[in-house]
Amino acid sequence: MVFVFKGVYKLQDKMIRQMIFDLLQHPGIHYSHGYFPETILSYWPDPIKDYGDAVIASACKSLGGGIITFDQDFKKQLKKTDLTFHLL
């Protein structure tokens, strides 16, 4: 959904975030354990700019763990959170 709205429809991240948030409020919407949309949306698009990185960060937060990354930009964004991370 994020990929299509960003890539095809050229919508802004904050608008996509609101659309996902609104969708999750509808009765009957369920998602699998291991996917933490509320936490993802708390990180994306600010302070974490990439949706995929926000998914990783939310799993770290929700499951209790750390992040190991080579990504310098992700590291800078993680510094704005309370998450544990290591740069390789």
Side-chain angles (χ1 to χ4, degrees), residues 55-73:
V55 171
I56 293 168
S58 73
C60 173
K61 176 75 170 184
S62 300
L63 300 174
I67 298 171
I68 299 173
T69 183
F70 293 101
D71 187 332
Q72 292 288 336
D73 290 333

Side-chain angles (χ1 to χ4, degrees), residues 3-83:
F3 178 80
V4 171
F5 282 142
K6 285 181 76 156
V8 176
Y9 296 105
K10 309 294 186 213
L11 296 178
Q12 298 295 315
D13 290 347
K14 289 185 180 189
M15 179 179 278
I16 299 168
R17 180 192 179 281
Q18 186 62 51
M19 292 169 70
I20 293 170
F21 179 81
D22 291 344
L23 177 66
L24 292 170
Q25 302 309 306
H26 285 274
I29 296 294
H30 301 280
Y31 45 87
S32 299
H33 177 72
Y35 180 71
F36 309 96
E38 292 87 2
T39 309
I40 294 168
L41 297 178
S42 74
Y43 289 129
W44 181 79
D46 188 36
I48 298 176
K49 306 297 181 209
D50 182 77
Y51 183 80
D53 288 345
V55 171
I56 293 168
S58 73
C60 173
K61 176 75 170 184
S62 300
L63 300 174
I67 298 171
I68 299 173
T69 183
F70 293 101
D71 187 332
Q72 292 288 336
D73 290 333
F74 190 26
K75 179 188 92 164
K76 290 176 190 173
Q77 295 162 24
L78 286 168
K79 285 183 177 180
K80 299 176 185 175
T81 72
D82 61 347
L83 298 173

